[in-house]
Amino acid sequence: MLLVTPAHAVDTGGASAPPIRGSVGGVEYGSPLKGAQAPRATRFAVTPRTVTAGGSPPSIVLRIDQQGVPRVLARIVVSRPRGRPITIALGAVPVGHVLRPRWPKGVALVAGRYTFRVHAADQGGLQLARPHVAPGRAVLVVRPRPRPKPKPKPKPRPKAVPKPVAVPVVPAPAPVLTPVTVAGGVFPVQGPYRFGDLFAAPRQGYSHQGVDILAAQGLPVVSPTAGTIRYTDYQASAAGEYVVERLADGRDIFLAHCVRHSTAVAPGQTVAAGTLLCRVGQTGDATGPHLHFELWPQGWRDVKGTAPADPLPQLRAWA
């Protein structure tokens, strides 16, 4: 794990922290309590929420509160699209004050989604509480750097127009259109399965963007139709080992949490329906073996303006 210890600023002013909800009595901030309460990130923000790759890093604001405790050990763990998570170690920080940790020098922001999580513990070992109102979590989206516009090509000199020659008119044959049907394919998990969390299921701070297919560890995950592999990668803190495929009809699919090192394809490879892609696993942010399946009609998240669609009707058609 990459460990970074940046400098951070502390806003002081002597103001007492607001009482934690649910506490009773007249105990002032800083006085000892009979029942220890876990620290909370009462303020945590990363601004702006969207930046451009290669540009200025975001600003981080953090405040941790805990009654009866002067300081806690704190750090911020950042998961990123490529590479290991980043740890911003803050050390022993005062509670009830606003901290402004700095993004570590030399760590470039590449395009993708970053998740910031606060971790803290007092001397007694109580870990940071994560209530709904103060989960200690923030998300940053880094957009790709726009490509420079190509220089206009010089206009060619007009060529001499030849005299028209009379030719017989032959009607062109009507084009043959091959419609793409959603039922033409195979189910991606080759073995017993059942559906778990569905599309748009509520999660902490966001909505589920796909469908979870619960299946045994190691079952083959195959290409539903012919297509081309766009990406293969590993994201330890989120998607785990994953594959992105462009189907023959132009849609993209995203398959995540595969067994580590089970990916059997490479970017740019063309595959047929039923080709082994990887195997069902539980890498990344997963609590059990399953395949996380997403469907992107206009292209995966690296294409501007795209959004995922509910893949359940398509999965049932393939089943």
Side-chain angles (χ1 to χ4, degrees):
M1 176 178 293
L2 175 62
L3 182 62
V4 184
T5 309
H8 60 273
V10 179
D11 291 347
T12 60
S16 61
I20 299 176
R21 293 184 178 178
S23 62
V24 295
V27 181
E28 295 181 353
Y29 175 79
S31 61
L33 298 177
K34 293 182 179 180
Q37 296 182 350
R40 297 188 182 188
T42 54
R43 182 181 178 187
F44 184 52
V46 177
T47 55
R49 296 181 180 179
T50 302
V51 298
T52 302
S56 301
S59 299
I60 306 172
V61 177
L62 169 64
R63 171 173 169 161
I64 300 176
D65 285 306
Q66 185 180 11
Q67 290 186 344
V69 175
R71 291 178 178 271
V72 295
L73 286 174
R75 69 185 191 277
I76 300 173
V77 178
V78 186
S79 65
R80 50 182 174 172
R82 299 187 185 94
R84 298 180 179 178
I86 304 167
T87 298
I88 304 175
L90 305 180
V93 300
V95 302
H97 295 269
V98 176
L99 310 176
R100 301 183 185 276
R102 297 174 182 173
W103 182 255
K105 293 183 178 180
V107 180
L109 287 168
V110 299
R113 180 186 177 93
Y114 294 69
T115 302
F116 292 64
R117 290 184 174 88
V118 179
H119 297 265
D122 62 13
Q123 293 182 350
L126 283 177
Q127 301 292 324
L128 184 79
R130 299 185 184 276
H132 178 71
V133 295
R137 180 181 178 277
V139 173
L140 171 71
V141 176
V142 180
R143 298 173 300 192
R145 180 183 297 178
R147 296 181 180 179
K149 295 183 179 180
K151 295 182 179 180
K153 296 182 179 180
K155 295 182 179 180
R157 293 182 179 180
K159 296 181 180 180
V161 180
K163 294 181 179 181
V165 178
V167 294
V169 178
V170 179
V176 178
L177 301 178
T178 304
V180 177
T181 60
V182 295
V186 296
F187 196 77
V189 173
Q190 296 296 289
Y193 69 90
R194 61 185 178 88
F195 291 121
D197 284 354
L198 300 180
F199 183 77
R203 295 290 178 85
Q204 188 173 8
Y206 67 102
S207 297
H208 199 218
Q209 291 188 325
V211 168
D212 289 342
I213 304 172
L214 310 183
Q217 179 92 1
L219 280 180
V221 176
V222 302
S223 173
T225 70
T228 303
I229 304 304
R230 297 194 62 205
Y231 303 105
T232 63
D233 209 338
Y234 177 71
Q235 191 179 41
S237 62
E241 187 144 336
Y242 67 84
V243 177
V244 178
E245 178 186 350
R246 171 68 54 83
L247 302 181
D249 58 11
R251 298 177 297 172
D252 283 354
I253 58 173
F254 173 74
L255 309 98
H257 304 310
C258 300
V259 171
R260 188 72 173 115
H261 303 303
S262 70
T263 299
V265 291
Q269 179 179 342
T270 57
V271 295
T275 300
L276 177 66
L277 302 179
C278 60
R279 295 187 178 273
V280 174
Q282 50 183 327
T283 54
D285 187 8
T287 57
H290 71 280
L291 174 67
H292 175 81
F293 185 96
E294 295 181 6
L295 178 65
W296 295 75
Q298 288 83 35
W300 194 46
R301 62 178 69 246
D302 61 338
V303 180
K304 184 177 180 181
T306 61
D310 185 359
L312 187 59
Q314 177 62 88
L315 290 169
R316 286 176 171 166
W318 285 332

